[in-house]
Amino acid sequence: MTKDPNNMTCQEFQALMPELIGSGENASAHPHMQSCALCRALLADLETIAEAARQLFPVVDPPEHLWEQIESAIKHEGDPGRG
Ligand SMILES: [Zn+2]
C-alpha cells in the first residue's frame, strides 16, 4: 500500500521527518510542508537542534540514537491530548 504524500497526517509526517533529515532529503520540499504551518515550525526547531548537534559532534553520519531522541521529543510535543 502506497502512501499519498499529499494526504499524510501530521503524525505520519512527523514520524518520517527524522528519516528525511537523516538521509539528507530536503524535508522542507515535502508536499506536507506546503500546507502545514505546524510541521514547518517543527522542522525549523528540528533543524536548529540538528545544527547544534552537528557543531557539538562534527561527524558525517549522526548517530542513530540522536534521531531517536529528536523523534521522541517530537512525539512528546505532538501529544494530541492537549490542544
Ligand atoms: Zn503537519
Side-chain angles (χ1 to χ4, degrees):
M1 176 171 162
T2 309
K3 270 278 171 196
D4 179 357
N6 291 295
N7 245 338
M8 290 178 95
T9 65
C10 288
Q11 193 177 29
E12 285 167 340
F13 180 69
Q14 286 167 23
L16 191 67
M17 206 191 270
E19 277 181 50
L20 288 174
I21 296 169
S23 64
E25 294 281 331
N26 185 3
S28 62
H30 192 280
H32 184 87
M33 298 296 285
Q34 311 309 314
S35 59
C36 188
L38 184 74
C39 288
R40 279 200 296 271
L42 207 56
L43 180 67
D45 282 353
L46 247 178
E47 286 182 332
T48 302
I49 295 167
E51 181 59 34
R54 270 197 289 275
Q55 286 171 14
L56 285 173
F57 309 106
V59 292
V60 177
D61 294 312
E64 285 278 320
H65 66 83
L66 179 66
W67 296 112
E68 283 171 16
Q69 283 171 12
I70 293 170
E71 195 174 2
S72 71
I74 291 170
K75 281 175 181 161
H76 184 72
E77 271 189 40
D79 183 3
R82 294 168 252 167

